[in-house]
Amino acid sequence: MPQSRGPPMTDTQKDQPWLFRTYAGHSTAKASNELYRNNLSRGQTGLSVAFDLPTQTGYDSDHELARGEVGKVGVPVAHLGDMRALFDQIPLEQMNTSMTINATAPWLLSLYVAVAEEQGADVSKLQGTVQNDLIKEYLSRGTYICPPKPSLKMITDVAEYCYREIPKWNPMNVCSYHLQEAGATPEQELAFALATGQAVLDGLRGKVADKDFPKLVGRISFFVNAGIRFVTEMCKMRAFAELWDEICRDRYGVTEEKYRRFRYGVQVNSLGLTEQQPENNVYRILIEMLAVTLSKRARARAVQLPAWNEALGLPRPWDQQWSLRMQQIMAYETDLLEYDDLFDGNPAVDRKVESLKDGARAELANIESMGGAIGAIEYMKAQLVNSNADRLVGIEQGQTVVVGVNRWTEAEPSPLVGADGGIMVVDPAMEQDQIGRLEAWRAGRDAAAVAAALDRLRQAAQAGDNIMPPSIAAAKAGATTGEWAGVMREVHGQYRGPTGVSRSISNKTEGLDHIREAVDAVSDRLGRRLKFFMGKPGLDGHSNGAEQIAFRARDCGMEIEYEGIRLTPDEIALAASRERPNVIGLSILSGSHIPLVSDIIAKLNDAGIGHIPVIVGGIIPDDDAATLLSIGVSKVYTPKDFELNKIMMDIVMLADPSKMAAE
């Protein structure tokens, strides 16, 4: 007989809803502040700040690598004045703020603390989170700066400082969100995230008294992803909670249950949002939210939902409001929060949870044998690329059904996509405006005080001292994001993470024989092996697409050249001059495709290799695609072009000398 679930709770027992957040930020601090205040007035209960790529990777808005990236995927914050404007009229002592920031997390938290102090806040009462998970940046997102060991030291510096000065602040989110976006299986997502949590806690041992260590353990939180297989995802969350409890108890000797609690926030899956029939994404987002709200024992503490149109571009305020309303209806109109856990004692759920835990434990043991998460970075990266390849093959071959993409593709035009393309477009003039304000800030500050503050920061980093106090002092003195990160690069060096793409052909060549034959034929006509160069210009670290294109091109028999993320146009032109590829591919998902591709085309022409065909992939509106084609790009691909074999045949045709001669 099924177990009784018990009576519903009374009104006094009804659970409080999770924090409602919207991941937001764009253009300028002033524009983002207006967006935040509007969202809060509409019932949002916490803030989730999206920073632009220069801020995430430690560059000021006028740096060469920041060109075209300023304000595109988040808000630019270059100094205390920007942070002050971002939170104008928002009392930070009363706010719960999540900042999605990793490599520059110590710096952005320093700016936040400085602004809170200016507001007269009691800093010890601040509540919120900095993501601060560098290990997953090496694996899946690419906004790292320094090598792993000093980066881990910076994470523990933040944790130690927060424990002593901001006890309600979460010093890091172990972030498995991007692991799933990069193709992780549920077992890999569990294991890789838990291994990261262990690496951080191992690094924190000895930084506080043994008796206080459990409290530090209790401040580590997680940020996860929930995909469309919502039963599996719900079971994954229950497995996460049980495994984390086990690790805290057995590995770290934490006896108090409250310090072993698995505390997590979530953004549901963006990888599965489709450019085709984008209105269907509303259903996907709702179903994915169920995975992190239905089970009381594994319910998220904070939820942020993507907008239905994020596969098309930047959401508008109305789009974000629609996602907020989805959360509010679930929390306030349904009776979800009136019941105990709906799945306790369910045999199917129990079996799935145990299966996930067994798989995760086996993978954790494998990672431990390599020295833990830091030692296993290259292994984990290669595993993610391989798993993502399996995922894409499943979609291409129809084994994984995606409605509107590989089945039921005929549809009426979406009325939600109007004349504006259904998205917000950032004014290109905004970048120069931000640079102008940055120059004015530099001109108006006390240069000697800034230099002295940065020197104290440098000394602390070199000595291995906690960098948070001198970082806060540098923030108050007027230092910039690029200057702070410049000190970290100077002291610790800059790191280039593994690509996960080897030059050796994989075992996934089934169904590629016709393409391999075409590659061989064109290679014979070229007099050498067809060479394909895959480039990632700018600061966009979303490398999943680039990795899969390079992975498939290699398996189709092409010689590949893929040097990873964050290349300048000059570096791409220099590499193309050196390697002489037959086709160049560029992947840009940050919205900076027009300026970056324009620069690259110009530099290829200057180098005398403008005849090499260039193909471009990204989240690219139709008007922008037309512009790219007009300046010499041969092909433009967007998320709807999911059949990689078609792209492979395009590369073969573009490289074919007989075709070029005929034209």
Side-chain angles (χ1 to χ4, degrees):
M1 292 180 62
Q3 293 185 5
S4 170
R5 307 294 181 209
M9 299 177 181
T10 66
D11 286 342
T12 56
Q13 294 174 313
K14 183 176 179 179
D15 290 338
Q16 291 298 309
W18 52 90
L19 279 171
F20 303 152
R21 285 185 171 139
T22 303
Y23 182 55
H26 64 83
S27 304
T28 65
K30 183 178 179 181
S32 297
N33 171 262
E34 182 179 354
L35 177 64
Y36 295 163
R37 287 190 285 114
N38 286 339
N39 285 347
L40 290 169
S41 72
R42 291 166 184 159
Q44 189 172 304
T45 54
L47 293 176
S48 181
V49 182
F51 295 100
D52 74 353
L53 288 173
T55 304
Q56 291 185 52
T57 51
Y59 295 105
D60 288 333
S61 300
D62 57 354
H63 192 277
E64 175 192 11
L65 275 168
R67 172 167 158 72
E69 307 278 18
V70 177
K72 284 284 175 63
V73 300
V75 57
V77 175
H79 48 71
L80 184 61
D82 283 341
M83 189 66 93
R84 192 183 290 145
L86 186 64
F87 293 108
D88 182 42
Q89 301 178 59
I90 299 175
L92 297 186
E93 189 176 310
Q94 302 169 30
M95 187 51 54
N96 191 306
T97 304
S98 172
M99 294 193 285
T100 302
I101 198 74
N102 295 284
T104 52
W107 174 244
L108 271 298
L109 180 58
S110 297
L111 291 172
Y112 190 88
V113 169
V115 169
E117 289 182 352
E118 286 183 350
Q119 291 184 354
D122 179 347
V123 171
S124 69
K125 294 181 179 178
L126 295 179
Q127 296 185 68
T129 303
V130 278
Q131 192 169 102
N132 204 22
D133 179 355
L134 265 297
I135 294 176
K136 66 91 179 171
E137 293 300 312
Y138 305 130
L139 300 178
S140 55
R141 181 61 186 85
T143 67
Y144 53 79
I145 297 174
C146 297
K149 287 186 178 179
S151 295
L152 185 61
K153 167 67 166 57
M154 282 187 258
I155 293 172
T156 60
D157 281 357
V158 172
E160 180 188 12
Y161 173 82
C162 290
Y163 168 73
R164 299 186 191 284
E165 306 294 336
I166 322 176
K168 295 182 179 180
W169 193 272
N170 299 321
M172 87 167 294
N173 268 142
V174 179
C175 180
S176 69
Y177 175 86
H178 288 105
L179 300 179
Q180 186 179 123
E181 298 279 296
T185 65
E187 292 86 353
Q188 288 171 337
E189 188 180 344
L190 286 162
F192 295 1
L194 293 170
T196 297
Q198 290 179 174
V200 171
L201 289 179
D202 289 351
L204 280 169
R205 276 180 161 164
K207 293 215 168 189
V208 298
D210 289 347
K211 65 181 178 61
D212 291 334
F213 186 71
K215 295 179 182 177
L216 203 58
V217 173
R219 295 316 306 173
I220 302 298
S221 60
F222 288 73
F223 187 76
V224 306
N225 201 332
I228 195 65
R229 293 172 58 81
F230 81 99
V231 176
T232 296
E233 294 293 305
M234 184 270 292
C235 292
K236 180 189 76 180
M237 299 321 306
R238 290 169 70 97
F240 248 137
E242 293 177 19
L243 286 167
W244 184 242
D245 181 84
E246 184 180 295
I247 287 167
C248 293
R249 183 189 67 238
D250 298 345
R251 187 182 180 99
Y252 299 109
V254 179
T255 57
E256 292 186 65
E257 187 276 334
K258 68 178 181 179
Y259 296 138
R260 303 198 306 262
R261 192 172 298 144
F262 182 77
R263 301 177 309 114
Y264 78 98
V266 64
Q267 173 163 316
V268 306
N269 193 294
S270 294
L271 178 68
L273 302 183
T274 63
E275 180 183 4
Q276 304 93 317
Q277 302 176 30
E279 63 278 0
N280 295 341
N281 293 328
V282 175
Y283 304 126
R284 294 185 175 105
I285 293 165
L286 174 60
I287 291 167
E288 289 163 355
M289 184 172 66
L290 296 177
V292 295
T293 56
L294 281 179
S295 176
K296 181 178 179 178
R297 286 203 298 120
R299 184 170 294 149
R301 294 169 67 95
V303 176
Q304 58 192 47
L305 302 179
W308 68 278
N309 55 349
E310 288 193 17
L312 306 178
L314 189 66
R316 301 158 299 192
W318 182 88
D319 305 315
Q320 293 186 334
Q321 175 186 290
W322 199 11
S323 287
L324 174 61
R325 294 293 182 254
M326 191 183 295
Q327 293 202 56
Q328 291 168 326
I329 290 167
M330 178 68 75
Y332 293 112
E333 293 192 23
T334 78
D335 57 354
L336 174 66
L337 299 178
E338 298 173 14
Y339 290 85
D340 291 327
D341 198 290
L342 305 177
F343 299 96
D344 283 350
N346 182 305
V349 169
D350 290 345
R351 283 195 302 271
K352 184 63 176 176
V353 170
E354 288 305 313
S355 173
L356 290 170
K357 287 164 59 179
D358 288 345
R361 287 192 191 102
E363 190 65 88
L364 268 171
N366 194 22
I367 293 168
E368 282 286 281
S369 72
M370 301 176 190
I374 296 295
I377 285 172
E378 289 195 24
Y379 162 78
M380 291 190 289
K381 178 65 177 180
Q383 291 300 103
L384 289 175
V385 172
N386 196 57
S387 295
N388 205 18
D390 289 337
R391 182 188 68 83
L392 290 174
V393 166
I395 295 172
E396 285 182 284
Q397 296 181 354
Q399 298 159 351
T400 300
V401 174
V402 183
V403 174
V405 173
N406 59 6
R407 288 186 72 176
W408 305 294
T409 56
E410 295 297 321
E412 295 293 325
S414 173
L416 296 176
V417 181
D420 63 356
I423 57 173
M424 174 185 287
V425 178
V426 175
D427 183 355
M430 173 279 307
E431 180 168 323
Q432 195 55 50
D433 178 63
Q434 169 69 11
I435 291 172
R437 281 182 283 103
L438 172 61
E439 291 171 344
W441 176 266
R442 290 192 187 117
R445 65 187 183 174
D446 184 335
V450 171
L454 291 173
D455 189 54
R456 288 191 291 273
L457 174 65
R458 184 178 298 105
Q459 292 173 19
Q462 289 170 336
D465 297 337
N466 193 307
I467 63 167
M468 282 303 297
S471 293
I472 294 171
K476 293 177 178 178
T480 68
T481 297
E483 289 166 342
W484 180 89
V487 170
M488 296 302 112
R489 288 183 172 94
E490 176 189 336
V491 174
H492 301 303
Q494 185 153 304
Y495 182 70
R496 286 198 69 80
T499 67
V501 181
S502 75
R503 294 182 182 274
S504 302
I505 292 175
S506 77
N507 61 355
K508 304 181 191 298
T509 58
E510 185 178 351
L512 301 182
D513 289 347
H514 66 295
I515 306 176
R516 292 171 64 85
E517 290 170 2
V519 169
D520 288 343
V522 169
S523 297
D524 288 343
R525 289 194 284 274
L526 288 167
R528 64 183 177 111
R529 178 56 47 182
L530 192 165
K531 180 181 281 192
F532 175 66
F533 177 90
M534 186 71 243
K536 280 288 295 177
L539 297 177
D540 169 32
H542 281 111
S543 59
N544 304 332
E547 290 158 1
Q548 292 306 314
I549 292 290
F551 191 101
R552 183 66 59 84
R554 177 204 64 196
D555 284 357
C556 287
M558 302 180 203
E559 182 181 347
I560 61 164
E561 190 67 32
Y562 175 53
E563 299 179 0
I565 62 173
R566 270 192 255 164
L567 300 178
T568 66
D570 279 326
E571 287 172 330
I572 287 175
L574 183 63
S577 296
R578 180 183 66 248
E579 300 295 333
R580 296 286 167 165
N582 302 106
V583 179
I584 297 170
L586 303 174
S587 172
I588 308 167
L589 283 84
S590 63
S592 58
H593 40 266
I594 296 291
L596 285 174
V597 174
S598 297
D599 281 358
I600 291 167
I601 294 287
K603 292 182 185 300
L604 293 175
N605 287 330
D606 291 344
I609 52 174
H611 61 280
I612 299 176
V614 174
I615 61 177
V616 179
I619 300 174
I620 302 172
D622 290 344
D623 288 348
D624 286 3
T627 299
L628 292 173
L629 293 170
S630 73
I631 63 173
V633 171
S634 297
K635 296 278 186 180
V636 175
Y637 303 99
T638 68
K640 69 177 182 296
D641 301 299
F642 68 95
E643 295 183 70
L644 299 192
N645 286 351
K646 288 185 177 180
I647 298 175
M648 295 301 108
M649 287 305 299
D650 286 347
I651 294 171
V652 173
M653 288 188 289
L654 288 169
D656 190 344
S658 63
K659 179 178 179 295
M660 289 187 282
E663 291 177 349

